Structures are given as C-alpha cells and as structure tokens.
Amino acid sequence: MIEEDFVIKNKFGFHLKPLNELVRRISQFNSSVKVIKDDQMADGKSLLDLLTLCVAKNDKIKVIVEGEDEQEVIKAIRDFIEHDIFQYDSQYEQEQK
Amino acid sequence: MKKEKRLKGIPAFSGIAIGKVFILERENDLLIPVHKISKENVKKEVARYKQSLEKTKNELSKTKERILKSLGRKHVELVDAYITLLDDRLFTHDIVRMIEEQLCTAEFSVSHALNKVIQQFEHSNDDYFRGRIIDMRDLGKKLLRNLLEKKRKDIEKVTSRHIVIAATLDPHDVILLKEQNCAGFILESGTKTSHVALVAQGLGIVSIVGLKDITNEEIEDEDDIIIDGYQGIVILHPTKETLQEYKKQYEMMTKEKEEIIYLKKSKSETIDHRRIGLLCNIDLPKEADKVIETSAEGIGLFRTEYQYINRNSLPTEDELYEDYYNVVQKIYPHSVTIRTFDIGADKFSQLGLEGVIKEKVPSLGLRGIRLALKYPEVFKTQIKAILRASVKGNVKIMFPMVTKAEEIDEIKKLLQEVKQELKERKVEFDNNIPIGVMIETPSAALTCNTIVKKVDFISLGTNDLIQYTLAVDRFNENVADLYDPLHPSVLKLIKHVVDAAHKENKTVSICGEMATDPMLTKVLIGLGIDELSVPPAVVLKIKKIVCSTNYSDAKELAEEILRCESSKEIIEILEKEK
C-alpha cells in the first residue's frame, strides 16, 4: 500500500475534463485507488465520486493505492497532478474568452 | 383578459423577442408517481431502468454528433463528459442496488441518487462545482423522461413566432430551436455561465434563464409574451400599449444590427474604390479581442508604455515578448505595429535606472527615441522582444518622437546589433521586419522627405504634432482652447508629410485623435492618408464614413480647406458638409 499527499496547484482544480482523463488513466491499472479530501473519500476509478470531492486549487488530498501495480499507478497520478493537468488550465482559459 | 405581469430572470443572450408562448415541458411533468415496488417486480424494474439508461446514452451520442456538426469540437466535451458520467458506478451499480435492495422504483432511485450527489456539490464554495448541480439535474431529467416515457412536445413544432418555455433545455435542444428559427426561450434552470446559456450566446438566441416557476405561471400556448433581454425581464400577457412599444424598439434594433453586420462585412474603401486601411490603437494586450470583434484590419499602434510604468524594475525580454506574441498571434494574419516605449524621464527613473535627471519641461526633454538612445541596453531588450514576436511576419516596429534623420541611422545600427545577437542565439525572427517612425514634431514633418527614404512607413502622431506646432499643452487649461487640430499650419504639415511619403511610395497612417473625429475623416482621406488607426470602439463609426465618402469629392474638400486662412473658416466649410 502506498500513501501520498498532494496539493493541487493547477488553476481550476479537478474539473470535469481533467478528471475524465485522470480516471481513464487510473482505470487502466488493477490497483485500487482511494482519494481523500478532508473527511470525504472517493473511488479513484469513479468520475462522479472524484467530482463530488470538489477539489479546487490549493486543496490538499491524500491518495492511497493498493495492488500489484501500485508503484506505476502512483507515478501516473503524480505525473498527472504535477504536470499534465496544467494544460487544461490554458485550454479552459481560452474557452472562456 | 389576464393582467400584464413582469418577471425578472437572468438574461443569457440580450435582445428583444416578441412572440407567442410555446410550453415545451412544465416542471411538474416529471413528478415521480410511485416510490415503491413489490419484490416480484424487481427484475422488471431493473430491466426497465437499464433500458432507459441505454436510451439516454444513445440520445446523448446523437446530441454529440449534432453538436459536432453545428457548433464544433469545443462544445462536445461536455456532452462527452455526460456520457462518461452515465458509465459511472453510481448509474451502473448503486442505482441498480437501490432498486433491488430497497425495492424502490427506478424513478425514485435515480432522483434519490442524484440528489445525494447534488448535495455534495452544494457544499462547495467553488462556482465551478456548484455549477455542476445543473448538469446533474439535467442528466436526471433525461433519465426520468425516458423512464416515465413522458414525451415532451415536439421541438419541430416550434416556429419563428414562438418563445419556448421549459424547466430545462440541454444544448442539443437549443441547437434545434435555432434551426426552427425560434424567437427566444425562457428556462427555470440555468445561470449566466451554464452550458445552455453559452450555447444560446454562441447562436445568438434571445433568452432568459434561471426564472424559477415560469412553467407554473398562468400561461397557455399561443398567449402573447415578450422577452426584454436588456433588462432581463419577461412580460406575460402584455397590454396593447406594451406590445406597441416593444415592437417599435425591436424594429429599431434590427435596423441597427443589420447596419453593424453590414459594416463589419464591407471593405473599408470609398465609393470610388480607394482603399483606406482601418486599424486599431491599443494600450493593453487584452484589447486585441476587441480589435478582432470590430473587424479592423490589424493594429496600427500598440502602445507599450504600460510595460514600463507602475513598477520599480525593468521588464525582462521574456516578459515583453510574451505580451507581444500573445497579441501578434491573435491578430494574425493581419499586422501589428508595435511602438517602442514613449515615456518621459520621470517615469524612467522609477525603474531603478541611474543618471536620470529631473526635468523642468518633460515634453521638451528626454523622451521617446531620445531616452531610448540614451539607454541602448533597455531599448535593445525591447527590440529583441519585438523581433522574437515577428516570426509570423506580421509585425512592424515603430519609433516615437523622431526629430531628425540621423536618429534613424542610430536606431538601425542598434537594430542590426540585436538581429546579429538573435541569429547567434539561433532565435527565429522576421529579418525583413518593416520599420517606421512617428512624425510628431514639426522638424520631422518638414524634413520628412529625408526621413521617409530611411523607413518603410510613416505614422502621424497628430496629438503631439499639434502640441509642438502650436506650442500648446492641451492639458494646461490656460491655453487648452488654443489647441486646434484645424489650425492651417497643422493641415499644411500633414499634407507635406503625405506628399513626401507618397513620392517614395511609402504609406502614411494617422494614429492620433484626429483620426477618431468623424467630422475630419473626409478631410484626412482627401489629404491622401492611407490608413487610419483608431480605438476599437470607433472603428465602425469611422468605417461608415469611409464607405460613404467619394475620394474625388474628399480631395476637392481638402484642397478647399488648405486654401483657408483660419480654422474658423474651415469649421464653417465642414459644418456645411455635414
């Protein structure tokens, strides 16, 4: 089992579009993924669950991964939260214009 | 006769619509009749639920196709997310379990499950997540409609005289309504930024959202109804007088709208086909959007002073470049003329530069190109940033406050050094970037024949040109009345500059306030000006005049005015022209 804390730094947080992609990536693995914000827990493979966590910028979350491919899973999540998610900000900003 | 009633909602797309009521679906059409089922019916109920889930997904896929076709990729992602959401555990498992274990009807289970989700969103302080409540309700409605087999009225029965009223609509419905040419719509749900509202804005349908209980009002199909999107109100059962008044407003608006659309489409040229370039002046990058909206042919003056004031250190090359490139790529393929900083020494000393002396008369002191040449490193940093932004080949660079031709030689030397440096850094730029100068002093105007040989274009900064020619500070109220754009000396200088530039086949633009005065447009055209650069807000006003001017008449007018001995005489002539 791996536990890792993250602070969400992208401007718009866990919006529908980036979450859709995150769930798609997590779902490719066998490990179970739990995401915890405050006292609320969500299934990392459920878009709706994650969406209802209402994760906004600067929110802290804890991710718990358990399973044979847990190392790969946590890396995939880390890559996404620390890099890939930012591309959605500019996309979103452009749309707002 | 029912009494006139006015209700306030949120305008999604402003405008006036006058029409007949078409009630698509009342809120209580989707009330859930039965909550519980008996054990033996569980299997049937689950099957019924799964069927309507599939059906809803299929509908959404069709919606997706349709949106792709009419609105483009940008709007598809939300529908995509809806489809993905329906694959979520909540729909595939939780609701099924509720039917099986708690013996609830599919309708009740769906609405219960979604209400729980909605409650979670309600806790958030973030507008975005609160906004998702509408999405959830939307999804719920779709499912319920299929479960209850409640057919809404057919949207294809809507015609151009109808104003549609419903509890909710999805983006797909709005597109259909547009195709039916519907006059407008009113919804109980929605906010200004909800998806339906955005689509209505995109398609330009007059609409009011967030008007709770409208479907429960005492209205019937084919009743008269008015939407006043400017005030965000809906008028039920309008009186004859109200109808009359709104019909008048509506006609006036349509005329204006048609004119604006026509002007945006038309070329900026005189009746006898002389092209007059119509460009914009901007002071900040964000104004570039307004330039595009107003259909101007690019930016004739991008002032860069904002990058150097209200701060205590110099901007970096990257910082400058980012702003330029941002504007340049938006305006592409049209051109952007970036003017290097034109600030006084007083502003410069705040940037932490040494050796700047306080001046008694800044307007006659170290400003514009003089300051730039005194601090070549600061100047070169800006030129570098401008060159880097020129990769697409649509950037021109312009220098302010030139008073003699030698200054251009110095500028060109620096420009060469910067180009060399960028080449060594292997940075791409437009090697043939056109360079121009502002003519804003009498000395530059009178020696324009020498200056123009050294540059690619000329821009007349009439504000300063008038100030220096007439020796009047227009912000000094003691002499402000002496500031006179129509002083014969000013017009003679302009004429002199235009002739000198045209002799060398170079274009002349005007970016001062003279260009924004509709009374002067014809005169400027007559003087031979090639381009007018004005604030985005007045582009269409000036374009209208350009398009209704005859160049040969304008030339005559200019000649007549050049013969005048006073501005009073000139004003008399222009008054007659009106």
Side-chain angles (χ1 to χ4, degrees):
Chain A
M1 191 183 81
I2 309 176
E3 259 191 55
E4 191 166 329
D5 292 335
F6 294 96
V7 179
I8 304 308
K9 278 291 168 203
N10 73 309
K11 195 165 170 188
F12 297 105
F14 277 8
H15 275 198
L16 206 45
K17 288 174 199 170
L19 268 190
N20 206 357
E21 175 61 17
L22 179 63
V23 171
R24 196 188 62 78
R25 293 191 192 181
I26 294 176
S27 301
Q28 289 167 351
F29 299 99
N30 292 322
S31 295
S32 75
V33 177
K34 291 194 175 76
V35 181
I36 298 167
K37 192 192 115 183
D38 302 328
D39 54 355
Q40 213 186 334
M41 185 167 76
D43 179 351
K45 292 181 180 176
S46 162
L47 175 59
L48 198 52
D49 247 25
L50 285 174
L51 194 64
T52 49
L53 283 184
C54 302
V55 178
K57 188 181 177 178
N58 291 329
D59 278 352
K60 288 187 195 108
I61 58 165
K62 186 188 281 302
V63 176
I64 303 173
V65 189
E66 197 168 0
E68 61 215 45
D69 49 10
E70 56 189 31
Q71 291 294 346
E72 290 165 69
V73 180
I74 198 75
K75 186 182 174 300
I77 296 175
R78 199 184 301 127
D79 281 351
F80 190 79
I81 292 179
E82 288 172 2
H83 297 116
D84 299 1
I85 199 168
F86 289 91
Q87 82 193 45
Y88 291 91
D89 285 352
S90 53
Q91 206 187 339
Y92 192 68
E93 269 176 346
Q94 260 171 13
E95 276 172 29
Q96 303 239 304
K97 281 169 198 160
Chain B
M1 192 74 192
K2 282 166 194 154
K3 252 182 97 184
E4 178 173 309
K5 186 170 180 185
R6 295 181 181 222
L7 301 166
K8 204 153 175 62
I10 305 161
F13 182 77
S14 295
I16 286 173
I18 305 165
K20 303 282 185 188
V21 170
F22 185 105
I23 302 169
L24 194 65
E25 183 179 64
R26 293 195 195 254
E27 175 69 28
N28 52 18
D29 282 355
L30 292 178
L31 285 182
I32 300 164
V34 192
H35 290 192
K36 288 285 182 183
I37 51 171
S38 57
K39 223 171 192 165
E40 49 270 29
N41 282 334
V42 165
K43 250 200 188 140
K44 220 172 88 195
E45 192 68 7
V46 171
R48 196 167 71 87
Y49 166 68
K50 285 192 171 162
Q51 238 175 14
S52 59
L53 185 62
E54 272 319 297
K55 195 170 170 207
T56 310
K57 262 197 259 177
N58 283 337
E59 284 170 3
L60 282 168
S61 301
K62 273 189 210 141
T63 305
K64 185 179 158 182
E65 293 296 307
R66 194 132 197 175
I67 292 182
L68 252 181
K69 258 191 229 149
S70 50
L71 282 179
R73 192 151 290 284
K74 198 177 122 186
H75 290 273
V76 164
E77 286 180 59
L78 201 104
V79 185
D80 249 346
Y82 274 26
I83 298 172
T84 322
L85 282 174
L86 286 178
D87 281 328
D88 195 86
R89 210 193 49 210
L90 180 88
F91 295 100
T92 56
H93 291 89
D94 297 358
I95 291 177
V96 174
R97 222 169 39 203
M98 191 164 166
I99 299 172
E100 289 171 344
E101 291 172 6
Q102 299 180 38
L103 303 178
C104 292
T105 56
E107 287 89 348
F108 184 79
S109 306
V110 165
S111 102
H112 181 81
L114 282 174
N115 278 341
K116 260 171 69 184
V117 173
I118 287 169
Q119 269 171 25
Q120 278 172 294
F121 285 131
E122 275 169 351
H123 285 304
S124 177
N125 295 322
D126 191 305
D127 277 352
Y128 175 80
F129 292 107
R130 298 185 62 88
R132 302 286 68 73
I133 293 173
I134 293 164
D135 292 342
M136 291 300 133
R137 293 218 171 106
D138 233 29
L139 264 181
K141 287 235 160 83
K142 281 181 202 307
L143 275 165
L144 282 180
R145 223 174 269 140
N146 286 329
L147 280 167
L148 292 165
E149 291 179 54
K150 273 273 159 78
K151 282 227 172 69
R152 284 195 317 199
K153 239 184 271 170
D154 197 351
I155 287 194
E156 280 169 25
K157 298 224 167 82
V158 174
T159 67
S160 58
R161 69 168 194 281
H162 284 129
I163 289 178
V164 168
I165 296 176
T168 60
L169 285 176
D170 67 27
H172 177 219
D173 300 329
V174 179
I175 294 165
L176 282 174
L177 288 179
K178 177 74 190 178
E179 284 171 4
Q180 299 297 121
N181 250 324
C182 133
F185 66 82
I186 306 162
L187 301 183
E188 296 197 344
S189 66
T191 64
K192 197 146 200 149
T193 54
S194 62
H195 203 57
V196 184
L198 295 179
V199 175
Q201 283 154 29
L203 295 173
I205 304 181
V206 178
S207 43
I208 300 274
V209 296
L211 189 61
K212 290 204 175 70
D213 293 330
I214 177 76
T215 64
N216 295 326
E217 287 292 336
E218 256 185 70
I219 37 170
E220 298 300 331
D221 283 349
E222 300 300 324
D223 281 354
D224 280 319
I225 186 166
I226 296 171
I227 300 180
D228 179 348
Y230 296 106
Q231 299 190 60
I233 58 170
V234 171
I235 306 171
L236 309 177
H237 315 300
T239 61
K240 244 189 204 151
E241 292 73 40
T242 312
L243 266 173
Q244 210 64 41
E245 182 196 321
Y246 271 96
K247 271 183 188 152
K248 229 195 273 163
Q249 271 192 45
Y250 179 79
E251 269 159 34
M252 237 160 60
M253 266 174 30
T254 331
K255 236 194 230 159
E256 258 172 50
K257 231 195 272 171
E258 270 168 15
E259 191 177 26
I260 287 173
I261 293 169
Y262 173 77
L263 274 175
K264 278 187 182 175
K265 276 195 205 144
S266 46
K267 261 199 208 161
S268 172
E269 60 175 30
T270 61
I271 299 169
D272 43 357
H273 306 297
R274 180 177 163 81
R275 289 276 297 136
I276 303 291
L278 204 46
L279 297 94
C280 285
N281 300 341
I282 66 166
D283 296 276
L284 292 168
K286 65 175 180 202
E287 289 172 281
D289 295 324
K290 290 191 208 146
V291 176
I292 295 165
E293 206 178 291
T294 188
S295 79
E297 299 155 54
I299 293 171
L301 171 62
F302 179 3
R303 298 188 180 97
T304 58
E305 286 73 61
Y306 77 96
Q307 292 175 310
Y308 294 86
I309 55 177
N310 294 328
R311 56 186 292 157
N312 44 31
S313 66
L314 282 163
T316 65
E317 180 190 315
D318 284 344
E319 212 178 317
L320 297 167
Y321 160 76
E322 265 170 41
D323 277 7
Y324 300 152
Y325 191 68
N326 179 2
V327 171
V328 165
Q329 51 126 344
K330 266 191 201 159
I331 299 299
Y332 184 83
H334 292 307
S335 67
V336 177
T337 302
I338 304 175
R339 185 183 70 187
T340 59
F341 58 80
D342 182 14
I343 53 178
D346 53 328
K347 294 273 172 11
F348 225 58
S349 61
Q350 292 165 7
L351 295 169
L353 283 162
E354 279 172 30
V356 188
I357 308 160
K358 252 206 152 141
E359 296 175 325
K360 260 194 193 151
V361 192
S363 60
L364 299 179
L366 202 56
R367 55 165 289 196
I369 204 66
R370 302 169 180 177
L371 189 69
L373 291 173
K374 183 105 187 248
Y375 292 92
E377 287 315 310
V378 181
F379 189 38
K380 275 160 80 175
T381 303
Q382 187 180 28
I383 299 176
K384 257 180 263 179
I386 296 173
L387 280 174
R388 279 173 60 193
S390 73
V391 276
K392 284 175 180 262
N394 64 329
V395 175
K396 300 179 188 177
I397 184 168
M398 181 158 76
F399 305 99
M401 264 300 278
V402 169
T403 49
K404 52 181 182 176
E406 293 95 309
E407 282 167 334
I408 300 168
D409 299 331
E410 265 186 87
I411 294 168
K412 280 185 160 172
K413 208 176 120 235
L414 290 177
L415 186 66
Q416 217 40 51
E417 285 173 28
V418 170
K419 282 184 176 177
Q420 194 52 40
E421 193 191 317
L422 287 178
K423 276 178 196 157
E424 278 159 26
R425 273 165 57 187
K426 298 215 164 30
V427 175
E428 275 185 71
F429 62 91
D430 175 10
N431 199 29
N432 300 316
I433 187 169
I435 66 165
V437 288
M438 302 267 297
I439 301 291
E440 43 193 342
T441 60
S443 60
L446 290 168
T447 55
C448 192
N449 51 340
T450 320
I451 288 175
V452 76
K453 288 195 181 102
K454 296 173 186 279
V455 295
D456 301 302
F457 64 94
I458 291 281
S459 187
L460 278 158
T462 48
N463 299 359
D464 276 336
L465 185 61
I466 296 165
Q467 147 163 310
Y468 292 127
T469 305
L470 305 181
V472 168
D473 170 8
R474 63 183 169 141
F475 299 111
N476 176 344
E477 52 191 57
N478 293 329
V479 292
D481 60 327
L482 294 175
Y483 182 90
D484 179 9
L486 293 174
H487 192 289
S489 63
V490 175
L491 296 170
K492 285 196 166 83
L493 280 175
I494 293 176
K495 175 71 175 148
H496 182 79
V497 170
V498 171
D499 289 348
H502 283 178
K503 212 170 151 197
E504 298 293 324
N505 285 321
K506 308 280 166 76
T507 56
V508 185
S509 71
I510 284 204
C511 58
E513 262 163 45
M514 275 181 92
T516 66
D517 185 345
M519 204 164 101
L520 301 181
T521 310
K522 192 171 173 185
V523 179
L524 296 177
I525 294 174
L527 286 170
I529 296 291
D530 303 289
E531 287 177 355
L532 301 166
S533 193
V534 300
V538 296
V539 166
L540 292 179
K541 195 154 99 188
I542 300 297
K543 197 171 181 180
K544 190 176 163 185
I545 300 172
V546 171
C547 292
S548 57
T549 298
N550 221 320
Y551 177 53
S552 49
D553 293 348
K555 260 200 311 202
E556 272 175 35
L557 176 70
E559 273 161 26
E560 191 187 348
I561 277 172
L562 282 170
R563 283 193 297 267
C564 290
E565 288 171 351
S566 72
S567 60
K568 196 171 152 240
E569 227 176 291
I570 295 173
I571 289 169
E572 275 166 19
I573 294 172
L574 291 181
E575 287 291 338
K576 256 190 275 160
E577 275 289 315
K578 260 211 266 188

